[in-house]
Amino acid sequence: CHQKADSKRDATIDGVRGILIIAMLIGHFPINTGLRNIIYSCHMIAFVFLSGYFYKSSRKCTDSLRRMAKSFLVP
């Protein structure tokens, strides 16, 4: 996906999120226990924080919840 040149999106954050996903994958391989503990202690917290920090919603909370419930509950 290419972004427009005038986009205000910071590609650094996307890069950090990609590194966190790779760290999660590495954590599932047989590696040093200390390294695994470091990866598991921070990668999900950081990923969720970065994803939520830049989330912009133009909908009301109740509308979003109703839409999520429909998409998960209705086959």
Side-chain angles (χ1 to χ4, degrees):
C1 273
H2 295 287
Q3 296 176 6
K4 292 190 258 179
D6 64 343
S7 175
K8 292 185 169 89
R9 186 177 182 105
D10 187 1
T12 307
I13 300 301
D14 291 333
V16 170
R17 288 174 56 200
I19 291 169
L20 292 169
I21 290 170
I22 291 170
M24 184 261 318
L25 292 172
I26 291 171
H28 284 86
F29 286 99
I31 59 171
N32 182 307
T33 306
L35 180 59
R36 178 177 288 124
N37 289 338
I38 291 169
I39 290 172
Y40 282 159
S41 68
C42 67
H43 83 280
M44 283 306 294
I45 296 167
F47 186 80
V48 169
F49 173 77
L50 290 174
S51 297
Y53 186 74
F54 294 105
Y55 177 74
K56 293 179 185 173
S57 176
S58 59
R59 295 186 202 112
K60 293 180 184 177
C61 184
T62 54
D63 292 339
S64 295
L65 288 173
R66 188 175 297 121
R67 185 169 171 247
M68 283 191 329
K70 275 185 178 178
S71 67
F72 287 122
L73 299 176
V74 177

